[in-house]
Amino acid sequence: MRIISLNAWGGRLYEALINYVRHADPDVLCLQEVLRTPGASPGWAVYRDAGLELPQRTNLFEEISAALPGHDGFFCPTSRGELFDGDIVTAAEFGLATFVRKTHSVIAQGLDFVHGSFSADGWGEHPRPRNAHCIRLFSRDNASTVTIAHMHGLRDPAGKGDTAAREEQAEALVKLIKRVWPGDEGLVVCGDFNVLPDSATFKVLARLGLSDLVTGNGLVDTRTSYYLKQGRYADYMLVTPGVNIAEFKVVEAPEVSDHRALMLDIM
């Protein structure tokens, strides 16, 4: 089973992203920063915030779904706000997306907020709402089960250091996982956590027996050349000892976001 976690960056490198997900052939694709705009045509619009303008794919969820016709897609919104295309204003949803190959059965799942709550009228105040999605899969190929969770951690304008909100976020993630994971099978937790490697988040997750594959393999950079700031950590993938790893890597090429994809093959 191949599990890929990636912050999709709103689809800003759309063509490279679509080609990558098609050819990477994931069994489970965990995406953060995905937009969906039901009823809108595929294409570009602009996200605006405090003088910042970013191009976004208004229907990235549908476009990824079309690129992966053999997968079931789950969209998990955190907020609903405005995108701009000239004088046209569109209400779009922003959040997580999880894609699962149809040959795997989703036998349990949980979705909840780990910070804040759904913002139905605007993107929300900083630090904005964040959620996590957890699924339990039955693999028909080898009659085994595995639980996979991913999260987009809150972004604090003050930086990636520990805060009370981030510790509460970690506790909320553990609570969600425990609703789905039976505790006696492999567990994979991944995503863009927006924390540093020494964060208390990892101490909280360690209570589930989880250890990080990024720092555990001596890797120091999960960002691409499109990210120009200091502090190259953001994305992590953690596993319990029951996960039988065939290969793990931080994907250096192609660059499909300002984040690198994390890819885990398990047996």
Side-chain angles (χ1 to χ4, degrees):
M1 182 182 293
R2 170 165 291 176
I3 303 164
I4 293 177
S5 177
L6 173 65
N7 182 316
W9 206 24
R12 288 180 65 184
L13 300 178
Y14 169 70
E15 291 185 3
L17 174 63
I18 292 295
N19 288 333
Y20 174 69
V21 298
R22 280 192 183 123
H23 292 99
D25 197 30
D27 291 280
V28 180
L29 177 62
C30 300
L31 292 179
Q32 303 88 48
E33 291 197 22
V34 176
L35 291 117
R36 184 183 70 165
T37 309
S41 300
W44 295 98
V46 175
Y47 162 83
R48 294 174 181 163
D49 179 44
L52 180 70
E53 294 196 353
L54 301 174
Q56 306 280 285
R57 294 297 292 188
T58 57
N59 252 331
L60 184 60
F61 177 74
E62 300 298 339
E63 291 171 320
I64 297 289
S65 297
L68 296 174
H71 292 63
D72 290 317
F74 303 83
F75 182 71
C76 312
T78 59
S79 54
R80 185 173 183 269
E82 293 180 339
L83 297 179
F84 300 87
D85 180 10
D87 294 331
I88 300 172
V89 181
T90 302
E93 292 181 331
F94 173 89
L96 304 176
T98 310
F99 295 88
V100 180
R101 194 186 302 278
K102 293 178 181 178
T103 52
H104 302 299
S105 302
V106 178
I107 58 174
Q109 66 177 312
L111 168 66
D112 211 343
F113 280 77
V114 292
H115 175 74
S117 59
F118 182 70
S119 178
D121 187 19
W123 302 119
E125 297 298 323
H126 292 289
R128 286 178 169 158
R130 290 291 193 258
N131 59 1
H133 187 212
C134 184
I135 57 174
R136 186 172 182 233
L137 299 184
F138 174 78
S139 173
R140 303 171 199 171
D141 292 338
N142 53 16
S144 64
T145 53
V146 63
T147 300
I148 303 165
H150 73 116
M151 172 182 78
H152 186 195
L154 68 89
R155 180 185 179 275
D156 189 331
K160 295 181 180 178
D162 280 338
T163 62
R166 282 195 167 110
E167 292 192 35
E168 292 169 3
Q169 173 180 260
E171 294 288 354
L173 177 60
V174 166
K175 182 178 179 181
L176 172 64
I177 291 169
K178 285 182 174 180
R179 281 165 38 193
V180 178
W181 180 53
D184 58 355
E185 68 188 25
L187 171 65
V188 179
V189 179
C190 54
D192 172 9
F193 288 4
N194 268 321
V195 299
L196 300 173
D198 62 354
S199 171
T201 294
F202 299 104
K203 294 178 182 177
V204 174
L205 295 176
R207 301 203 305 258
L208 300 179
L210 289 160
S211 58
D212 176 46
L213 296 176
V214 174
T215 56
N217 283 283
L219 302 170
V220 298
D221 192 348
T222 64
R223 307 303 294 254
T224 69
S225 64
Y226 291 91
Y227 186 78
L228 304 179
K229 301 176 185 178
Q230 297 298 313
R232 309 292 297 181
Y233 286 105
D235 308 272
Y236 300 91
M237 185 171 280
L238 299 88
V239 297
T240 55
V243 175
N244 192 0
I245 299 172
E247 183 182 15
F248 169 75
K249 65 180 179 179
V250 176
V251 179
E252 295 187 5
E255 293 189 343
V256 299
S257 166
D258 65 339
H259 295 252
R260 299 188 191 279
L262 308 184
M263 187 171 71
L264 173 67
D265 292 337
I266 62 176
M267 296 182 287

